[in-house]
Amino acid sequence: MTSLIEEYKITEKREGAYVSYLLNDDEAFSQVGYKVMKSQELDSFLKCACVRFNGKTKLIYAAENLQNLPVALAAAPPHGAWVILSKVIEGILRVRNNGFLGYENLDISAEHIYLDEKTSEPNFIYLPLVSGMIENAYTKFEQEFKANMKEAVRASGALVYEQKKEIIDLLGGGKGSLDDINREIAQHIHGIPSDLGVEGNNQIRLVSMDHRIPLSFAITKNRFTIGRRKENDAVVDFSNKISRQHCSVVKMDGRFGIVDANSTFGTWVNSIKCMPGKVYEIKLGDKVRLPDITFEVQ
């Protein structure tokens, strides 16, 4: 995002619970991009209003009741920084995979990435700007994102030296793409193999035990997400008690487990409530309970 702001000399300003961007060049503003942004159903964007101010276009974003990334890192529990970073990257990849908006138009400065205090779900500022004129926009975006995240981790007083070094080394090493980095983070948090997302040879199914809710999901991926948001592998949206991303089924060395994604109302395996971020093994015949629905492992 820094490249776009510098290119178009955009003036940023924090105004209480709002963030504004004054466009000094009206040609930078994309009417089509603004309309597409407003029409999208992604929960990941801050609400935006477009107004005229002193003859210029001004974009105003509401960030009420949200923590920005530095504050969230400071308040994170042990290893919480890994979870936050993973959720932020997953949010960026959802925007990319949505296909209608360019993720290089996200403001990825650490202070302008906002998170829900309870779930750590990210909320982004999407700027409807004409970005096609910026050479190598996608490459610059990912480079800037990694640099911004490393700086935010270095500046965090809540992380010990070893934690900072691990995260910074990951952001600066490996294959480099956000997909690769997120796979490595998942391996660090859950012990998930680095071939995350590759179909396995065996599978299980989660089958609803309530005949009124005939849901059944075959699990063949190494990480299979479940929740209300349509981008999940399994969409379970009949109850508001189910979180946008509620939990995941993970495959490890031929075995399967459930990981609660810090959901509001919790996930249970048989009679055990899952601690967020911890893997609970599931076997044939086990019961996986989400709010208002129970699945049997088959």
Side-chain angles (χ1 to χ4, degrees), residues 15 30 117 169 204:
E15 302 170 335
S30 170
E117 186 175 354
D169 286 347
I204 59 172

Side-chain angles (χ1 to χ4, degrees), residues 131-147:
S131 60
M133 296 174 61
I134 308 300
E135 187 177 359
N136 300 320
Y138 292 107
T139 301
K140 288 181 178 179
F141 173 87
E142 295 208 359
Q143 290 174 344
E144 289 171 6
F145 172 75
K146 288 185 281 187

Side-chain angles (χ1 to χ4, degrees), residues 86 90 179-188 190-200 220-225 233 248-252:
S86 178
E90 287 176 354
D179 298 273
D180 293 325
I181 288 172
N182 205 37
R183 280 193 285 268
E184 291 189 44
I185 292 174
Q187 185 178 13
H188 179 94
H190 305 308
I192 301 171
S194 58
D195 61 347
L196 177 68
V198 178
E199 292 189 2
T220 57
K221 296 171 63 176
N222 284 358
R223 185 170 185 264
F224 187 93
T225 61
D233 297 305
S248 298
V249 180
V250 296
K251 182 182 178 183
M252 303 166 293

Side-chain angles (χ1 to χ4, degrees), residues 206 224-228 236 241-250 257-282 286-295 297:
L206 295 184
F224 187 93
T225 61
I226 301 171
R228 284 204 334 267
V236 184
K241 292 181 181 179
I242 294 173
S243 297
R244 290 179 291 179
Q245 184 175 327
H246 196 95
C247 62
S248 298
V249 180
V250 296
I258 284 284
V259 181
D260 182 81
N262 200 22
S263 64
T264 302
F265 291 94
T267 305
W268 283 259
V269 173
N270 298 321
S271 60
I272 299 172
K273 185 175 182 180
C274 301
M275 295 292 292
K278 182 178 178 181
V279 181
Y280 292 79
E281 186 176 0
I282 53 175
D286 283 345
K287 308 299 188 295
V288 175
R289 179 159 61 90
L290 278 62
D292 300 326
I293 188 168
T294 299
F295 295 95
V297 181

